[in-house]
Every structure is written in structure tokens, then in C-alpha cells.
Amino acid sequence: MDLKGKTAIVTGGNRGIGRAIVEALSEKGANCAVVYRSGVKEAEASAEAARRKGVEVRIYQTDVADRRQVRLLVDTVRKDFGGIDVLINNAGVSSADHAIDRLTDEEWDRVLQTNLTGAFYCIQESLDDLRSAGGVVVSTSSIAGKMGGTIGSNYAASKAGLIGLTFALATELAPDVRLNAVAPGPVDTDLISPEVKKKLSSMNPFGRIAKPEEIAHTVIYLAENDYVTGEVVDVNAGRYMD
């Protein structure tokens, strides 16, 4: 897919990996709908950085865990941009206290509802546009979805679920819509403290964790290559290989 002039929805597009994806898409000439649940200043900064590339960018406050809000988002983006060609499912949350013996029903549901069900809502509500456009979906899974990780069973289950969702729909929706995912290891964002970054870097064969731009680069590849579907690309510098 030539991304120039296409319209992309990027959930969780206001910071970290999402912001890097918005900037990478804008460099390719794609117009972007930057979706955020909280952090409007960060969303505006992400949008402004992309606008400098000469593309159209708008921000939308949406909780992807709420189907009604997702439906309104898709309807509004369709009116604002004329259609949807690319969907990036990047919105995600984790739990501060995720020990299995203390994990509450509410925290289990909150993480699964945002990380996995939210992606399902976004795909289903955007499907007519994606089919018409020969579009593509790229979801942000995680190394945790393959090896469990260290930030909770609810988070790992949600990210493993995204991989299963990608595989199932890549078959079901072919050849009209392509679906792929990226599975990063730890990424250098403001969500990780300097102490944790140091610890995670020591566990990595490269001696550092990933930059958000390195994840975004992989997302662009998965969006552009018209013969790639049903793939989950590991971006973890060899920490996990399957």
C-alpha cells in the first residue's frame, strides 16, 4: 500500500510508540486520526509534529473499551477524512499491582477490555471502510504475548489474544483486508522509570531497550507490503526468538 494520501486511525497515538507511529505515517504522507483516552496535551503535540509533514491530522478522545465511543469515533473520522484505509491498534494499559493472588476482577477486565476487546471493536466498526479500501490493520502486541513477560497475567493474556485475533482475521478477511501485528520487547518511553530501563537493558543481548521509532519502522513495513498478512513480527533484539 502506498500510504501517501491514505487515512490512518492510530489508537493510543498521543505518546510513546503511538506517537512514533503517527510521525512515521505522516512522513509517508498519510493523514492521521490521533486517538487518545487521556492526555490531550500529548495528543495535540503528537498531531502538531505530524502536521509539519504537510498532512491532515486531527485528535479524538475515545475510550476504545467502550463500543459506543468507538462507533462514534469511526463515524466521525469517516466524515472528517472520507474513509479509513489503515487501522493501528496501539491503545493499551497494564496494572500497577498484577500479582495473581491480588489481581481483582476489575483490573482483569479493564486490561482485557482495553487491550484486546478494544482492538476487536475498532476492527469491527471500521470493517466496511477497510474492505472498500483494501485496507490494513496493524496491532501492537508484546513479547509478553509470547513468553508471559513480567507485568501481569492480564497484560500477557491480552497481548496473546491480539496475536490470536490477528491470525484468525487474517484468514477470514483475506484478500480484502490484511492484518498483522508487532510484538516489541521493552521500549524506551516515559512509562518506564530509569531504574527499570537499566534493569531491562541488562537483560537484552544488545544492552539496551528499543526506541519507539524502531517499533514504528516495523509498523510501516507491515502496512506497506501488500503481500504480508497474518504475521507477528518480533522486535526485541533477540531477547526472545521463536
Side-chain angles (χ1 to χ4, degrees), residues 118-210:
F120 162 69
Y121 288 161
C122 289
I123 293 168
Q124 196 172 61
E125 295 297 332
S126 304
L127 192 53
D128 287 345
D129 289 72
L130 293 169
R131 277 178 165 148
S132 297
V136 59
V137 178
V138 183
S139 298
T140 303
S141 181
S142 169
I143 190 173
K146 292 191 168 186
M147 62 175 290
T150 60
I151 56 175
S153 56
N154 52 352
Y155 184 83
S158 71
K159 294 302 186 177
L162 271 177
I163 292 172
L165 183 67
T166 296
F167 287 162
L169 294 182
T171 300
E172 180 179 341
L173 298 179
D176 299 326
V177 183
R178 294 184 299 109
L179 292 100
N180 295 296
V182 59
V187 181
D188 191 355
T189 70
D190 59 6
L191 300 179
I192 304 177
S193 70
E195 294 77 19
V196 173
K197 288 178 186 179
K198 184 177 180 180
K199 178 181 178 181
L200 292 172
S201 294
S202 70
M203 299 166 63
N204 191 292
F206 278 24
R208 68 173 178 86
I209 59 178

Coordinates of all heavy atoms in Angstrom, one line a residue, residues 118-210:
G118 N -11.0 -3.8 22.9 CA -10.9 -2.5 22.2 C -10.4 -2.6 20.8 O -11.0 -2.0 19.9
A119 N -9.4 -3.5 20.6 CA -9.0 -3.7 19.2 C -10.1 -4.4 18.4 O -10.3 -4.0 17.2 CB -7.7 -4.6 19.2
F120 N -10.8 -5.4 19.0 CA -11.9 -6.0 18.3 C -12.9 -5.0 17.9 O -13.4 -5.0 16.7 CB -12.5 -7.1 19.2 CG -13.8 -7.5 18.8 CD1 -14.1 -8.3 17.6 CD2 -14.9 -7.2 19.6 CE1 -15.3 -8.7 17.3 CE2 -16.2 -7.7 19.2 CZ -16.4 -8.4 18.1
Y121 N -13.3 -4.1 18.8 CA -14.3 -3.1 18.5 C -13.8 -2.2 17.3 O -14.6 -1.9 16.4 CB -14.5 -2.2 19.7 CG -15.3 -2.8 20.8 CD1 -15.2 -2.2 22.1 CD2 -16.1 -3.9 20.7 CE1 -15.9 -2.7 23.2 CE2 -16.8 -4.4 21.8 CZ -16.7 -3.8 23.0 OH -17.4 -4.4 24.1
C122 N -12.6 -1.8 17.4 CA -12.1 -0.9 16.3 C -12.1 -1.6 15.0 O -12.4 -0.9 13.9 CB -10.7 -0.4 16.7 SG -10.6 0.8 18.0
I123 N -11.7 -2.8 14.9 CA -11.7 -3.6 13.7 C -13.1 -3.7 13.1 O -13.4 -3.4 12.0 CB -11.0 -5.0 13.8 CG1 -9.5 -4.8 14.1 CG2 -11.2 -5.8 12.6 CD1 -8.9 -6.1 14.6
Q124 N -14.0 -4.2 14.0 CA -15.4 -4.4 13.6 C -16.1 -3.2 13.1 O -16.8 -3.2 12.1 CB -16.2 -5.1 14.7 CG -17.4 -5.8 14.2 CD -18.1 -6.6 15.3 OE1 -18.5 -6.0 16.3 NE2 -18.3 -7.9 15.1
E125 N -15.9 -2.1 13.8 CA -16.6 -0.8 13.4 C -16.0 -0.2 12.2 O -16.7 0.5 11.5 CB -16.6 0.2 14.6 CG -17.3 -0.3 15.8 CD -18.8 -0.4 15.6 OE1 -19.4 0.3 14.7 OE2 -19.4 -1.3 16.3
S126 N -14.7 -0.5 11.9 CA -14.0 0.1 10.7 C -14.1 -0.8 9.5 O -13.6 -0.5 8.4 CB -12.6 0.3 11.0 OG -12.4 1.2 12.1
L127 N -14.7 -2.0 9.7 CA -14.6 -3.1 8.7 C -15.1 -2.7 7.3 O -14.4 -3.0 6.3 CB -15.2 -4.3 9.1 CG -14.9 -5.6 8.4 CD1 -13.5 -5.8 8.2 CD2 -15.6 -6.8 9.1
D128 N -16.2 -2.0 7.2 CA -16.7 -1.6 5.9 C -15.7 -0.8 5.1 O -15.5 -1.0 3.9 CB -18.1 -0.9 6.0 CG -19.2 -1.9 6.4 OD1 -19.0 -3.1 6.3 OD2 -20.3 -1.4 6.8
D129 N -15.2 0.2 5.8 CA -14.2 1.1 5.2 C -12.9 0.3 4.8 O -12.4 0.5 3.7 CB -13.8 2.2 6.1 CG -14.9 3.2 6.4 OD1 -15.9 2.9 7.0 OD2 -14.8 4.3 5.8
L130 N -12.5 -0.5 5.7 CA -11.2 -1.3 5.4 C -11.4 -2.2 4.2 O -10.5 -2.3 3.3 CB -10.8 -2.1 6.6 CG -10.3 -1.2 7.8 CD1 -10.2 -2.1 9.1 CD2 -9.0 -0.5 7.5
R131 N -12.6 -2.8 4.1 CA -12.8 -3.7 3.0 C -12.9 -2.9 1.7 O -12.3 -3.3 0.6 CB -14.2 -4.4 3.2 CG -14.1 -5.7 4.0 CD -15.4 -6.3 4.2 NE -15.3 -7.7 4.7 CZ -16.2 -8.3 5.5 NH1 -17.3 -7.6 5.9 NH2 -16.0 -9.5 5.9
S132 N -13.6 -1.8 1.7 CA -13.7 -1.0 0.5 C -12.3 -0.5 0.0 O -12.1 -0.3 -1.2 CB -14.6 0.2 0.7 OG -15.9 -0.2 1.0
A133 N -11.4 -0.2 1.0 CA -10.1 0.4 0.7 C -9.1 -0.6 0.4 O -8.0 -0.2 0.0 CB -9.7 1.3 1.8
G134 N -9.3 -1.9 0.6 CA -8.3 -2.9 0.6 C -7.3 -2.6 1.7 O -6.1 -2.5 1.4
G135 N -7.8 -2.3 2.8 CA -7.0 -1.7 3.9 C -6.2 -2.7 4.7 O -6.1 -3.9 4.4
V136 N -5.6 -2.2 5.8 CA -4.7 -3.0 6.6 C -4.9 -2.6 8.1 O -5.1 -1.4 8.4 CB -3.2 -2.8 6.2 CG1 -2.8 -1.3 6.3 CG2 -2.3 -3.7 7.0
V137 N -4.7 -3.6 8.9 CA -4.8 -3.4 10.4 C -3.4 -3.9 10.9 O -2.9 -5.0 10.6 CB -5.9 -4.2 11.0 CG1 -5.9 -4.1 12.6 CG2 -7.2 -3.9 10.5
V138 N -2.8 -3.1 11.8 CA -1.6 -3.5 12.5 C -1.8 -3.3 14.0 O -2.2 -2.1 14.4 CB -0.3 -2.7 12.0 CG1 0.9 -3.2 12.7 CG2 -0.1 -2.8 10.5
S139 N -1.7 -4.3 14.7 CA -1.9 -4.2 16.2 C -0.6 -4.3 17.0 O 0.3 -5.1 16.6 CB -2.9 -5.3 16.6 OG -4.1 -5.2 16.0
T140 N -0.5 -3.6 18.1 CA 0.7 -3.7 18.9 C 0.4 -4.8 20.0 O -0.3 -4.6 20.9 CB 0.9 -2.3 19.6 OG1 1.1 -1.3 18.6 CG2 2.2 -2.4 20.4
S141 N 1.1 -5.9 19.8 CA 1.1 -7.0 20.8 C 2.3 -6.7 21.7 O 2.6 -5.6 22.0 CB 1.1 -8.3 20.1 OG 1.1 -9.4 21.1
S142 N 3.0 -7.8 22.1 CA 4.1 -7.6 23.0 C 4.8 -8.9 23.1 O 4.3 -10.0 22.9 CB 3.6 -7.2 24.4 OG 4.6 -7.3 25.4
I143 N 6.1 -8.8 23.5 CA 6.8 -10.0 23.9 C 6.1 -10.8 25.0 O 6.2 -12.0 25.0 CB 8.3 -9.6 24.3 CG1 9.2 -10.9 24.5 CG2 8.2 -8.8 25.6 CD1 10.6 -10.5 24.8
A144 N 5.4 -10.1 25.8 CA 4.6 -10.7 26.9 C 3.5 -11.7 26.3 O 3.1 -12.6 27.0 CB 3.9 -9.7 27.8
G145 N 3.0 -11.4 25.1 CA 2.0 -12.3 24.5 C 2.6 -13.6 24.0 O 1.8 -14.5 23.7
K146 N 3.9 -13.7 24.0 CA 4.6 -14.9 23.6 C 5.3 -15.7 24.7 O 5.3 -16.9 24.7 CB 5.6 -14.6 22.5 CG 4.9 -14.2 21.2 CD 6.0 -14.1 20.1 CE 5.3 -14.0 18.7 NZ 6.2 -14.1 17.6
M147 N 5.8 -14.9 25.7 CA 6.6 -15.6 26.7 C 6.1 -15.2 28.1 O 6.7 -15.6 29.1 CB 8.1 -15.2 26.6 CG 8.4 -13.8 26.7 SD 10.2 -13.4 26.7 CE 10.7 -14.1 28.3
G148 N 5.0 -14.4 28.3 CA 4.5 -14.1 29.6 C 4.9 -12.8 30.1 O 4.0 -12.1 30.7
G149 N 6.1 -12.4 29.9 CA 6.5 -11.1 30.4 C 6.6 -11.0 31.9 O 6.6 -12.0 32.6
T150 N 6.6 -9.8 32.4 CA 6.8 -9.6 33.8 C 5.8 -8.6 34.4 O 5.9 -8.2 35.5 CB 8.2 -9.0 34.1 OG1 8.4 -7.8 33.4 CG2 9.3 -10.0 33.7
I151 N 4.8 -8.2 33.6 CA 3.9 -7.1 34.1 C 2.4 -7.6 34.2 O 1.5 -6.9 34.1 CB 4.0 -5.8 33.2 CG1 3.7 -6.1 31.8 CG2 5.3 -5.2 33.4 CD1 3.7 -4.8 31.0
G152 N 2.3 -8.9 34.4 CA 1.0 -9.4 34.8 C 0.3 -10.4 33.8 O 0.5 -10.3 32.6
S153 N -0.4 -11.3 34.4 CA -1.1 -12.3 33.6 C -2.2 -11.7 32.8 O -2.5 -12.1 31.6 CB -1.7 -13.4 34.5 OG -2.6 -12.8 35.5
N154 N -2.8 -10.6 33.3 CA -3.9 -10.0 32.5 C -3.3 -9.3 31.2 O -3.9 -9.4 30.1 CB -4.7 -9.0 33.3 CG -3.8 -8.0 34.1 OD1 -2.6 -8.1 34.1 ND2 -4.5 -7.0 34.7
Y155 N -2.2 -8.6 31.4 CA -1.5 -8.0 30.3 C -1.0 -9.0 29.2 O -1.3 -8.9 28.0 CB -0.3 -7.2 30.8 CG 0.4 -6.4 29.7 CD1 -0.1 -5.1 29.3 CD2 1.5 -6.9 29.1 CE1 0.5 -4.4 28.3 CE2 2.2 -6.1 28.1 CZ 1.7 -4.9 27.7 OH 2.3 -4.2 26.7
A156 N -0.4 -10.1 29.7 CA 0.1 -11.2 28.8 C -1.0 -11.8 28.1 O -1.0 -12.1 26.9 CB 0.9 -12.2 29.6
A157 N -2.1 -12.1 28.8 CA -3.3 -12.7 28.1 C -3.9 -11.8 27.1 O -4.3 -12.3 26.0 CB -4.3 -13.0 29.2
S158 N -3.9 -10.5 27.3 CA -4.5 -9.6 26.4 C -3.6 -9.5 25.1 O -4.1 -9.4 24.0 CB -4.7 -8.2 27.0 OG -3.4 -7.5 27.2
K159 N -2.3 -9.5 25.3 CA -1.4 -9.4 24.1 C -1.3 -10.7 23.4 O -1.2 -10.7 22.1 CB 0.0 -9.0 24.6 CG 0.0 -7.6 25.2 CD -0.4 -6.5 24.2 CE -0.3 -5.1 24.7 NZ -0.7 -4.1 23.7
A160 N -1.4 -11.9 24.1 CA -1.6 -13.1 23.4 C -2.9 -13.2 22.6 O -2.9 -13.7 21.5 CB -1.5 -14.3 24.4
G161 N -3.9 -12.7 23.2 CA -5.2 -12.6 22.5 C -5.1 -11.8 21.2 O -5.8 -12.2 20.2
L162 N -4.4 -10.7 21.2 CA -4.2 -9.9 20.0 C -3.5 -10.7 18.9 O -3.9 -10.6 17.7 CB -3.4 -8.7 20.3 CG -4.1 -7.4 20.7 CD1 -3.1 -6.3 21.0 CD2 -5.1 -6.9 19.7
I163 N -2.6 -11.6 19.2 CA -2.0 -12.4 18.2 C -3.0 -13.4 17.7 O -3.0 -13.6 16.4 CB -0.8 -13.2 18.9 CG1 0.3 -12.2 19.2 CG2 -0.2 -14.2 17.9 CD1 1.5 -12.8 20.0
G164 N -3.8 -14.0 18.5 CA -4.8 -14.9 18.0 C -5.8 -14.3 17.1 O -6.3 -14.8 16.1
L165 N -6.2 -13.0 17.5 CA -7.2 -12.3 16.7 C -6.6 -11.9 15.4 O -7.3 -12.0 14.3 CB -7.5 -11.0 17.5 CG -8.5 -10.0 16.9 CD1 -9.9 -10.7 16.8 CD2 -8.6 -8.7 17.6
T166 N -5.3 -11.6 15.3 CA -4.6 -11.3 14.1 C -4.6 -12.5 13.2 O -5.0 -12.4 12.0 CB -3.2 -10.8 14.4 OG1 -3.3 -9.5 15.1 CG2 -2.5 -10.5 13.1
F167 N -4.2 -13.6 13.7 CA -4.2 -14.8 12.9 C -5.5 -15.2 12.3 O -5.7 -15.5 11.1 CB -3.6 -16.0 13.7 CG -2.2 -15.9 14.0 CD1 -1.7 -16.7 15.1 CD2 -1.3 -15.1 13.3 CE1 -0.3 -16.7 15.4 CE2 0.0 -15.1 13.6 CZ 0.5 -15.9 14.7
A168 N -6.6 -15.2 13.2 CA -7.9 -15.6 12.8 C -8.5 -14.7 11.7 O -9.0 -15.2 10.7 CB -8.8 -15.6 14.0
L169 N -8.3 -13.4 11.9 CA -8.9 -12.4 10.9 C -8.1 -12.3 9.7 O -8.7 -11.9 8.6 CB -9.1 -11.1 11.6 CG -10.2 -11.1 12.7 CD1 -10.3 -9.7 13.3 CD2 -11.5 -11.6 12.3
A170 N -6.8 -12.6 9.7 CA -6.0 -12.5 8.5 C -6.5 -13.6 7.5 O -6.5 -13.3 6.3 CB -4.5 -12.8 8.8
T171 N -7.0 -14.7 8.0 CA -7.5 -15.8 7.2 C -9.0 -15.4 6.8 O -9.3 -15.5 5.6 CB -7.5 -17.1 7.9 OG1 -6.2 -17.5 8.2 CG2 -8.1 -18.2 7.0
E172 N -9.8 -15.0 7.7 CA -11.2 -14.7 7.5 C -11.4 -13.6 6.5 O -12.3 -13.6 5.6 CB -11.9 -14.4 8.8 CG -13.4 -14.1 8.6 CD -14.1 -13.8 9.9 OE1 -13.5 -14.2 11.0 OE2 -15.2 -13.2 9.9
L173 N -10.5 -12.5 6.6 CA -10.8 -11.3 5.8 C -9.9 -11.2 4.5 O -10.0 -10.3 3.8 CB -10.5 -10.1 6.7 CG -11.5 -9.9 7.9 CD1 -11.1 -8.7 8.7 CD2 -12.9 -9.9 7.4
A174 N -9.1 -12.2 4.3 CA -8.2 -12.2 3.1 C -9.1 -12.4 1.8 O -10.1 -13.2 1.9 CB -7.2 -13.3 3.2
P175 N -8.8 -11.8 0.7 CA -7.7 -10.9 0.5 C -8.1 -9.4 0.7 O -7.3 -8.6 0.3 CB -7.3 -11.2 -1.0 CG -8.7 -11.4 -1.6 CD -9.5 -12.2 -0.6
D176 N -9.3 -9.2 1.1 CA -9.8 -7.8 1.2 C -9.0 -6.9 2.2 O -8.8 -5.7 2.0 CB -11.3 -7.8 1.5 CG -12.1 -8.5 0.4 OD1 -11.7 -8.4 -0.8 OD2 -13.1 -9.1 0.8
V177 N -8.8 -7.5 3.4 CA -8.1 -6.7 4.4 C -6.9 -7.5 5.0 O -7.1 -8.7 5.2 CB -9.1 -6.4 5.6 CG1 -8.4 -5.6 6.7 CG2 -10.3 -5.7 5.1
R178 N -5.8 -6.9 5.1 CA -4.6 -7.5 5.7 C -4.5 -7.2 7.2 O -4.8 -6.1 7.6 CB -3.3 -7.1 5.0 CG -3.2 -7.5 3.6 CD -1.9 -7.2 2.9 NE -1.7 -5.7 2.9 CZ -0.8 -5.1 3.7 NH1 0.0 -5.8 4.6 NH2 -0.6 -3.8 3.6
L179 N -4.1 -8.2 8.0 CA -4.0 -8.0 9.4 C -2.6 -8.5 9.9 O -2.3 -9.7 9.6 CB -5.1 -8.6 10.2 CG -6.5 -8.0 10.0 CD1 -7.3 -8.8 9.0 CD2 -7.2 -7.9 11.3
N180 N -1.9 -7.7 10.6 CA -0.5 -8.0 11.1 C -0.4 -7.5 12.5 O -1.2 -6.6 12.9 CB 0.6 -7.5 10.2 CG 0.6 -8.2 8.8 OD1 0.8 -9.3 8.6 ND2 0.3 -7.3 7.8
A181 N 0.7 -7.9 13.1 CA 0.9 -7.4 14.5 C 2.4 -7.2 14.7 O 3.2 -7.9 14.0 CB 0.3 -8.3 15.6
V182 N 2.8 -6.4 15.6 CA 4.2 -6.3 16.0 C 4.3 -6.6 17.5 O 3.4 -6.3 18.3 CB 4.7 -4.8 15.7 CG1 3.9 -3.8 16.5 CG2 6.2 -4.7 16.1
A183 N 5.3 -7.3 17.9 CA 5.5 -7.8 19.3 C 6.8 -7.2 19.8 O 7.8 -7.9 19.8 CB 5.4 -9.3 19.3
P184 N 6.8 -6.0 20.4 CA 8.0 -5.4 20.9 C 8.4 -6.0 22.2 O 7.5 -6.5 23.0 CB 7.6 -3.9 21.1 CG 6.3 -3.8 20.4 CD 5.6 -5.1 20.4
G185 N 9.7 -6.0 22.5 CA 10.1 -6.1 23.9 C 10.0 -4.8 24.6 O 9.2 -3.9 24.1
P186 N 10.7 -4.6 25.7 CA 10.6 -3.3 26.4 C 11.0 -2.1 25.5 O 11.9 -2.3 24.7 CB 11.6 -3.5 27.6 CG 11.7 -4.9 27.8 CD 11.5 -5.5 26.4
V187 N 10.3 -1.0 25.6 CA 10.5 0.1 24.8 C 10.8 1.4 25.6 O 10.2 1.5 26.7 CB 9.3 0.4 23.8 CG1 9.6 1.6 22.9 CG2 9.0 -0.8 23.0
D188 N 11.7 2.2 25.2 CA 12.2 3.4 25.9 C 11.1 4.5 25.8 O 11.2 5.3 24.9 CB 13.5 3.8 25.4 CG 14.1 4.9 26.3 OD1 13.5 5.3 27.3 OD2 15.3 5.3 26.1
T189 N 10.2 4.5 26.8 CA 9.2 5.5 26.8 C 9.1 6.1 28.3 O 9.7 5.5 29.2 CB 7.8 5.0 26.5 OG1 7.3 4.1 27.5 CG2 7.8 4.3 25.1
D190 N 8.4 7.1 28.4 CA 8.3 7.7 29.8 C 7.4 6.9 30.8 O 7.3 7.3 31.9 CB 7.7 9.2 29.7 CG 6.3 9.2 29.1 OD1 5.7 8.2 28.8 OD2 5.9 10.4 28.9
L191 N 6.9 5.8 30.3 CA 6.1 4.9 31.2 C 7.1 4.0 32.0 O 6.6 3.3 32.9 CB 5.2 4.1 30.3 CG 4.1 4.8 29.5 CD1 3.2 3.9 28.7 CD2 3.3 5.7 30.4
I192 N 8.3 4.0 31.6 CA 9.3 3.1 32.4 C 10.3 4.0 33.1 O 10.9 4.9 32.5 CB 10.0 2.2 31.4 CG1 9.1 1.3 30.6 CG2 11.0 1.3 32.1 CD1 9.7 0.4 29.5
S193 N 10.5 3.7 34.3 CA 11.4 4.5 35.2 C 12.9 4.2 34.7 O 13.2 3.2 34.2 CB 11.3 4.2 36.6 OG 11.8 2.9 36.9
P194 N 13.8 5.2 35.0 CA 15.2 5.0 34.7 C 15.8 3.7 35.3 O 16.6 3.0 34.7 CB 15.9 6.2 35.2 CG 14.8 7.3 35.2 CD 13.6 6.5 35.5
E195 N 15.3 3.4 36.5 CA 15.8 2.1 37.2 C 15.4 0.9 36.4 O 16.2 0.0 36.2 CB 15.3 2.1 38.6 CG 15.9 3.2 39.5 CD 15.2 4.6 39.3 OE1 14.1 4.6 38.7 OE2 15.8 5.6 39.7
V196 N 14.1 0.9 36.0 CA 13.6 -0.3 35.3 C 14.3 -0.4 33.9 O 14.6 -1.5 33.4 CB 12.1 -0.2 35.2 CG1 11.6 -1.3 34.3 CG2 11.5 -0.3 36.6
K197 N 14.5 0.8 33.3 CA 15.1 0.8 32.0 C 16.5 0.1 32.1 O 16.9 -0.7 31.2 CB 15.3 2.2 31.4 CG 13.9 2.8 30.9 CD 14.1 4.2 30.5 CE 12.8 4.9 30.1 NZ 13.0 6.3 29.7
K198 N 17.3 0.5 33.1 CA 18.6 -0.1 33.3 C 18.5 -1.6 33.5 O 19.3 -2.3 32.9 CB 19.3 0.6 34.5 CG 20.7 0.2 34.8 CD 21.3 0.9 35.9 CE 22.8 0.5 36.2 NZ 23.4 1.2 37.3
K199 N 17.6 -2.0 34.3 CA 17.5 -3.5 34.6 C 17.1 -4.2 33.3 O 17.7 -5.3 33.0 CB 16.4 -3.7 35.6 CG 16.1 -5.2 35.9 CD 15.1 -5.3 37.0 CE 14.8 -6.8 37.2 NZ 13.7 -7.0 38.3
L200 N 16.1 -3.7 32.5 CA 15.7 -4.3 31.3 C 16.8 -4.3 30.2 O 17.0 -5.3 29.5 CB 14.5 -3.7 30.8 CG 13.2 -3.8 31.6 CD1 12.1 -2.9 31.1 CD2 12.7 -5.3 31.6
S201 N 17.6 -3.3 30.2 CA 18.7 -3.2 29.2 C 19.7 -4.3 29.5 O 20.3 -4.8 28.6 CB 19.3 -1.8 29.3 OG 18.4 -0.8 28.9
S202 N 20.0 -4.6 30.8 CA 21.0 -5.6 31.1 C 20.5 -7.0 30.7 O 21.3 -7.9 30.6 CB 21.2 -5.5 32.6 OG 20.1 -6.0 33.4
M203 N 19.2 -7.2 30.5 CA 18.7 -8.5 30.1 C 18.6 -8.7 28.6 O 18.3 -9.7 28.1 CB 17.3 -8.6 30.7 CG 17.2 -8.5 32.2 SD 15.5 -8.3 32.8 CE 14.7 -9.8 32.2
N204 N 19.0 -7.6 27.9 CA 18.9 -7.6 26.4 C 20.2 -7.9 25.8 O 21.2 -7.3 26.2 CB 18.3 -6.3 25.9 CG 17.9 -6.3 24.5 OD1 18.7 -6.4 23.6 ND2 16.6 -6.2 24.2
P205 N 20.3 -8.8 24.7 CA 21.5 -9.0 24.0 C 22.2 -7.8 23.5 O 23.4 -7.8 23.3 CB 21.1 -10.0 22.9 CG 19.9 -10.7 23.4 CD 19.2 -9.6 24.2
F206 N 21.4 -6.7 23.2 CA 22.0 -5.5 22.6 C 22.4 -4.5 23.7 O 23.0 -3.5 23.4 CB 21.0 -4.8 21.7 CG 21.0 -5.4 20.3 CD1 21.4 -6.7 20.0 CD2 20.6 -4.6 19.2 CE1 21.4 -7.2 18.7 CE2 20.5 -5.1 17.9 CZ 21.0 -6.4 17.7
G207 N 22.1 -4.8 25.0 CA 22.4 -4.0 26.1 C 21.6 -2.7 26.2 O 22.0 -1.8 26.9
R208 N 20.5 -2.7 25.5 CA 19.6 -1.5 25.5 C 18.2 -2.0 25.2 O 18.0 -3.1 24.6 CB 20.0 -0.4 24.6 CG 19.9 -0.7 23.1 CD 20.2 0.5 22.2 NE 20.1 0.2 20.8 CZ 19.0 0.3 20.1 NH1 17.8 0.6 20.7 NH2 19.0 0.0 18.8
I209 N 17.2 -1.2 25.5 CA 15.8 -1.5 25.1 C 15.5 -0.7 23.8 O 16.3 0.2 23.4 CB 14.8 -1.1 26.2 CG1 14.9 0.3 26.6 CG2 15.1 -2.1 27.4 CD1 13.9 0.7 27.7
A210 N 14.4 -1.0 23.2 CA 14.1 -0.4 21.9 C 13.7 1.0 22.0 O 13.2 1.5 23.0 CB 12.9 -1.2 21.3

